[in-house]
Amino acid sequence: GAPVRLRGPKDAIARGVGMVHQHFMLVPPLTVAENVVLGREPTRRGLFDAAAACAQVDETCRRFGFKLDPRARVEQLTVGSQQKVEIVKALHRGARTLVLDEPTAVLTPQEADELFAVTRELSRAGHAVVLISHKLREVLEIATRIAVMRRGKLVAERRPDATSAAELAALMMGAEPPPSPPPTVTQPGELALELHEVHAAGVAASEA
């Protein structure tokens, strides 16, 4: 309810704002638990308490419905699971607002669907999720409110049921997008190379 100037990540997380970058900010050789508690490590007799860290991360995952092994090394996880680690890391630090920067850029369609299921659950639990994306179909599918920015300034706000991908593209560009060029028709030329009984390491074909 008041203007806030965030001067850095610590300031943001102190006010409940967590950021999940497009390029993950994880330490691959460390475990899930070690990444999540990094900077806020539980200690016992002055040493890192791995068991307590795993228990804390297990509790955060259970509370928000994430299925992650806190003892698994991040470098061995899929990209989708690494992204979940980033989200758990923000939630573990008390984030109530999550900012996801191009979160589906490196995900498979199935992983993107899993991410959207997670964001819907977080929204129902009272969290705010800010999704930054140029994938307009995904925006129309997942968003409850759309803000269009151009050159760093807010130029429009829309509800997904009252706009279209074409309108959003025009607002982003400041003009109607140019029409797509007509498809080019190519004619195959003369046969240049024909191979039979080709074999190579890991490849075998009777005709190619």
Side-chain angles (χ1 to χ4, degrees):
V4 173
R5 182 183 295 273
L6 302 177
R7 301 184 184 278
K10 288 185 178 180
D11 195 9
I13 201 65
R15 294 182 176 271
V17 180
M19 179 81 179
V20 177
H21 298 266
Q22 180 178 352
H23 302 289
F24 304 147
M25 310 293 284
L26 299 172
V27 184
L30 298 185
T31 66
V32 169
E34 289 166 343
N35 270 277
V36 171
V37 303
L38 190 61
R40 298 187 178 188
E41 300 89 346
T43 58
R44 183 180 182 186
R45 298 176 182 175
L47 300 174
F48 173 61
D49 191 339
C54 288
Q56 290 179 13
V57 174
D58 257 336
E59 169 59 22
T60 301
C61 289
R62 185 198 61 77
R63 180 152 45 104
F64 293 103
F66 288 90
K67 294 181 180 180
L68 290 169
D69 179 1
R71 297 164 185 81
R73 294 197 179 278
V74 164
E75 61 191 357
Q76 298 174 337
L77 300 180
T78 65
V79 173
S81 293
Q82 290 183 28
Q83 188 175 66
K84 291 176 183 177
V85 175
E86 286 278 28
I87 295 174
V88 169
K89 184 170 68 173
L91 295 172
H92 186 72
R93 285 164 165 72
R96 300 291 298 173
T97 299
L98 282 173
V99 183
L100 309 182
D101 181 19
E102 298 284 356
T104 63
V106 294
L107 300 185
T108 65
Q110 180 180 351
E111 289 172 333
D113 290 341
E114 292 175 357
L115 172 66
F116 293 156
V118 167
T119 58
R120 290 188 179 101
E121 286 299 319
L122 290 173
S123 179
R124 282 192 281 267
H127 289 73
V129 181
V130 180
L131 176 71
I132 302 170
S133 179
H134 291 83
K135 297 183 178 181
L136 300 183
R137 290 182 182 177
E138 293 181 355
V139 170
L140 290 168
E141 174 189 347
I142 192 66
T144 55
R145 185 174 60 183
I146 301 170
V148 181
M149 299 187 71
R150 186 170 67 247
R151 296 181 179 178
K153 294 183 179 180
L154 180 67
V155 296
E157 292 189 48
R158 294 289 187 272
R159 297 194 319 274
D161 59 354
T163 187
S164 65
E167 182 191 20
L168 294 176
L171 290 168
M172 290 167 62
M173 298 176 64
E176 290 291 334
S180 300
T184 57
V185 179
T186 59
Q187 296 294 335
E190 295 182 5
L191 182 64
L193 178 66
E194 186 173 356
L195 303 175
H196 296 274
E197 298 295 336
V198 178
H199 298 274
V203 179
S206 60
E207 184 171 334

